[in-house]
Amino acid sequence: MAAEKQRADLLPADALHGKQLGLSVSDSPDLDRLGLLDTHFRMTLGELARTVIIAGGALYYGGHLQPGGITNFLIEELYRYGRRDRPLKVCLAWTVHRGMTPEQIAKQKDLLGLFGEIHFLSPEGDRLDGPVDEPVIDDPPAEERARSLSGLRTYMTTNTSARIVIGGKRAGFQGVMPGIFEEVLFALERRQPLYLAGGFGGAALDVIRNLRPDYAEWFPSAHDAPAPDERLLKGLERIEEAVTAARWDGFENGLSEDENRLLAASYRPSEIAALVGKGMGRLLPPLEGKE
């Protein structure tokens, strides 16, 4: 019976066809305290990419195109799995692609090849036909940078089916709140399923602690932690307000309570990827004519 149940829980081929997973991932300040390395973080991204791509889904990531970054890591993972229908969508905020030369953009397009495509966005988050043919802007004003990042997050939320949240800064962030918080906020406002992976700590675990405190009891706050940034506290308040207004906390994601609790504490790459894939697969409507 146990073997039959395990087989029933496996993600069928093409189970995520037509589904898009938004990646909200950023370095966590808690890795040292948890005894984890950046390697564990990247292994998790690799497992997520494998799970989604093999099951027919697409990945949306908003970041930069610097060598050695997450975008290049994801491209390397896609090379391993061979899907050539551009399943990776790299979304670039206005201030990010405006800081790149045409040569840099062309090089990244060549690197992506048939494995992905770049979505160039306006300051408001509308998709442009391509990069703007104007002089490079090296150091845009902070307000413009924050506005373009909000536009990026709006675009990604509109164009994805669900969002995975891992890590995230508590300090040194740009904008009115940590980026992870704003991404969660936009998802909640649109009643989008969330997969909150708290095992790497960071802003993702702060969100979990705020929404489901008992899910985060495994990792008490550090006694010697510095006073939190006021913008962080206001961001958490905004998230609480969004949950109340939408009557939705994102945990209606295809996973059971026990599975969400496991995801909230897991740092195991294969476990996180399996839970996300399982949840997204369960959310799919049955095929017409099928039970």
Side-chain angles (χ1 to χ4, degrees), residues 99-112:
M100 299 177 66
T101 65
E103 292 76 19
Q104 289 172 324
I105 291 173
K107 182 178 180 180
Q108 290 298 323
K109 283 185 174 181
D110 288 342
L111 182 63
L112 277 166

Side-chain angles (χ1 to χ4, degrees), residues 217-270:
E217 289 178 349
W218 63 272
F219 190 56
S221 300
H223 296 298
D224 57 349
D229 189 309
E230 187 66 26
R231 294 173 297 168
L232 184 147
L233 298 177
K234 289 184 178 179
L236 289 174
E237 290 178 6
R238 291 273 307 276
I239 288 173
E240 288 183 5
E241 292 168 359
V243 169
T244 301
R247 297 183 179 180
W248 174 271
D249 66 1
F251 286 94
E252 296 83 353
N253 55 11
L255 297 179
S256 67
E257 181 174 353
D258 286 344
E259 288 167 338
N260 270 310
R261 188 184 294 272
L262 178 60
L263 182 62
S266 182
Y267 59 87
R268 298 180 178 88
S270 59

Side-chain angles (χ1 to χ4, degrees), residues 165-183:
V165 183
I166 306 175
K169 298 178 181 178
R170 295 193 182 96
F173 51 85
Q174 303 170 11
V176 297
M177 67 180 75
I180 290 285
F181 283 12
E182 190 169 51
E183 289 160 359

Side-chain angles (χ1 to χ4, degrees), residues 66 94-101 104 134-141 144-145 174:
Q66 296 174 4
W94 170 259
T95 51
V96 172
H97 65 81
R98 291 293 288 110
M100 299 177 66
T101 65
Q104 289 172 324
E134 295 179 5
V136 170
I137 300 176
D138 291 323
D139 188 21
E144 183 179 6
R145 187 181 295 114
Q174 303 170 11

Side-chain angles (χ1 to χ4, degrees), residues 28-38 200 219:
S28 169
D30 294 323
L31 291 185
D32 287 345
R33 188 170 165 226
L34 288 164
L36 299 173
L37 302 172
D38 184 63
F200 292 92
F219 190 56

Side-chain angles (χ1 to χ4, degrees), residues 20-33:
Q20 303 83 24
L21 178 66
L23 300 176
S24 292
V25 296
S26 179
D27 294 336
S28 169
D30 294 323
L31 291 185
D32 287 345
R33 188 170 165 226

Side-chain angles (χ1 to χ4, degrees), residues 7-88:
R7 284 195 296 271
D9 284 343
L10 292 176
L11 196 62
D14 292 329
L16 302 184
H17 180 72
K19 293 292 180 179
Q20 303 83 24
L21 178 66
L23 300 176
S24 292
V25 296
S26 179
D27 294 336
S28 169
D30 294 323
L31 291 185
D32 287 345
R33 188 170 165 226
L34 288 164
L36 299 173
L37 302 172
D38 184 63
T39 304
H40 298 103
F41 189 77
R42 296 207 170 206
M43 286 173 61
T44 300
L45 292 180
E47 283 293 320
L48 280 167
R50 182 188 67 82
T51 297
V52 173
I53 297 306
I54 289 178
L59 295 169
Y60 275 68
Y61 175 65
H64 57 72
L65 298 176
Q66 296 174 4
I70 289 176
T71 301
N72 282 21
F73 174 78
L74 290 171
I75 294 171
E76 291 171 2
E77 290 299 302
L78 290 176
Y79 277 32
R80 298 172 57 188
Y81 305 124
R83 265 187 58 192
R84 297 177 180 270
D85 57 346
R86 295 189 169 91
L88 174 62

